[in-house]
Amino acid sequence: MLDGDGLPESLPESLPEFDIAAGLQRLMGNKRLYRKLLVNFGTQYTETANEIRAALDADDFEEVHSLVHNLKGLAGNLEAGDLQAATVEMEKTVKGQTEKTVSASELNLKFFNLENALNRALEAVKILGLPDAQKAIAGGADETATASPKLAKGVVDRIKTAAEMGDVAQIKSIAEELKSESDAFSPFCDKLAQLADDFDFDGIQKLVLDNDS
């Protein structure tokens, strides 16, 4: 059986770098969703190590922390144990640091471990295949934005904060609140929930920006 991307819905019993059983337990046994999240990870995070490296080279520790923090949340949700451990160590190293307070050798070691763990995880999910429809999904944000009313500043700030924290549950909760207020928010909320399910926090920030008053 194929899913909406024309790919099999089934998951292998085991997958290197991922605890499939724990991941399915987290998602209440939803194999289709777990598989979709893994495939999306394989398409959306191929340049993340390069982005972190570039931020390190620029001594932009705030950007490094943001990138690593989002990756940590994703790794935890996908039950990628080694990747999550590597991001935790990297985050500890860069949080609140400057080029004067952190050792270059320590940074390079933590980055090396993170990059290796990320590359292993990305390699592992290749067995699941890559969707051709990924760009089409992401491209729906602009169309959705024009169909929805403007958001109040308080709501915008709440969504942005939740996205920065990688808090999928909070983002979906806000979406449900908005839906209950007015049917006019439904297209925006459906897209917001979809992006949250995909852990596409950059897409969420863009969607919110397009709807900001």
Side-chain angles (χ1 to χ4, degrees):
M1 186 175 180
L2 302 180
D3 65 15
D5 295 323
L7 295 167
E9 291 184 7
S10 62
L11 275 171
E13 292 185 4
S14 64
L15 188 67
E17 305 301 318
F18 297 91
D19 187 334
I20 296 294
L24 285 173
Q25 184 175 15
R26 179 186 291 273
L27 296 173
M28 296 178 289
N30 192 330
K31 291 184 178 182
R32 181 178 182 180
L33 175 57
Y34 192 18
R35 186 186 180 286
K36 178 183 178 183
L37 296 177
L38 290 169
V39 171
N40 287 347
F41 163 71
T43 62
Q44 296 172 3
Y45 286 80
T46 56
E47 294 300 318
T48 300
N50 291 335
E51 292 170 358
I52 294 172
R53 180 73 262 176
L56 283 171
D57 291 343
D59 293 327
D60 188 349
F61 294 104
E62 184 176 345
E63 176 67 7
V64 174
H65 181 265
S66 176
L67 290 167
V68 173
H69 181 79
N70 285 341
L71 185 59
K72 181 185 73 172
L74 175 65
N77 285 319
L78 294 180
E79 295 293 346
D82 287 351
L83 178 56
Q84 185 181 27
T87 55
V88 167
E89 290 302 311
M90 187 73 181
E91 185 177 40
K92 287 180 182 177
T93 302
V94 301
K95 189 174 184 179
Q97 300 297 324
T98 71
E99 63 271 21
K100 295 180 180 178
T101 60
V102 65
S103 158
S105 60
E106 182 181 5
L107 273 177
N108 288 333
L109 176 60
K110 295 296 173 61
F111 174 74
F112 176 78
N113 291 338
L114 187 154
E115 183 179 36
N116 278 347
L118 177 56
N119 285 339
R120 291 196 305 271
L122 288 171
E123 186 63 29
V125 298
K126 286 182 179 179
I127 191 175
L128 301 176
L130 299 178
D132 294 329
Q134 192 65 37
K135 291 183 179 179
I137 294 173
D142 292 336
E143 181 180 347
T144 304
T146 60
S148 302
K150 294 295 184 183
L151 300 173
K153 185 178 185 303
V155 175
V156 170
D157 291 342
R158 287 175 63 199
I159 297 174
K160 285 182 177 179
T161 298
E164 289 169 0
M165 297 296 293
D167 192 338
V168 171
Q170 177 65 7
I171 293 167
K172 296 179 78 171
S173 175
I174 295 170
E176 289 301 317
E177 288 178 23
L178 287 173
K179 262 190 175 184
S180 68
E181 291 178 9
S182 171
D183 290 340
F185 284 112
S186 290
F188 171 83
C189 292
D190 290 343
K191 184 62 183 178
L192 183 62
Q194 177 188 333
L195 291 169
D197 281 337
D198 292 344
F199 302 104
D200 186 356
F201 300 115
D202 289 338
I204 289 171
Q205 294 281 13
K206 183 180 185 303
L207 180 64
V208 171
L209 180 63
D210 290 339
N211 283 269
D212 198 351
S213 57

